[in-house]
Amino acid sequence: MNIGILKVEIYLGDTFSLKDKRSIVKSVIERLKGKFNLSVAEVERQDDLRFAVIGISCVSSSKNHAESQLESALNFLEEDGRFFVQNIEREVFSF
């Protein structure tokens, strides 16, 4: 069993309310879940207007597949255009 974990900090730029921020973050989370079948949640900085931290995880029988899923999710985030990816932490655990 392999567990992949990705923690991504995004900079939202010109959001002027928590409602605007949550709209973007909720959309991104739902799209990641639907497209890649990952577990996704906003995990830090919920009350910060300009930043969000999104946690992503997957479970796979193959380490390569777990790494590939995380890489695909990261590419998806980087191509979104509504925000900038700032900090990335990634790890795959094998059991």
Side-chain angles (χ1 to χ4, degrees), residues 2-85:
N2 297 279
I3 301 170
I5 299 171
L6 182 64
K7 182 176 167 185
V8 181
E9 182 180 59
I10 59 174
Y11 174 68
L12 295 154
D14 293 331
T15 54
F16 298 105
S17 69
L18 286 175
K19 185 177 179 181
D20 291 341
K21 174 195 172 178
R22 290 193 175 117
S23 171
I24 293 169
V25 172
K26 184 177 178 181
S27 168
V28 168
I29 288 172
E30 292 305 316
R31 289 172 61 204
L32 282 166
K33 286 179 179 179
K35 185 168 182 143
F36 301 105
N37 194 26
L38 300 166
S39 296
V40 186
E42 184 178 7
V43 295
E44 293 176 18
R45 300 183 83 166
Q46 286 91 341
D47 293 329
D48 190 329
L49 285 178
R50 304 249 191 255
F51 290 91
V53 179
I54 298 174
I56 302 167
S57 66
C58 68
V59 177
S60 177
S61 60
S62 163
K63 183 176 181 178
N64 289 337
H65 181 259
E67 290 173 347
S68 174
Q69 285 287 92
L70 296 180
E71 188 64 30
S72 295
L74 183 56
N75 289 338
F76 178 82
L77 290 171
E78 289 175 337
E79 294 171 0
D80 189 284
R82 294 178 288 177
F83 50 81
F84 300 99
V85 174

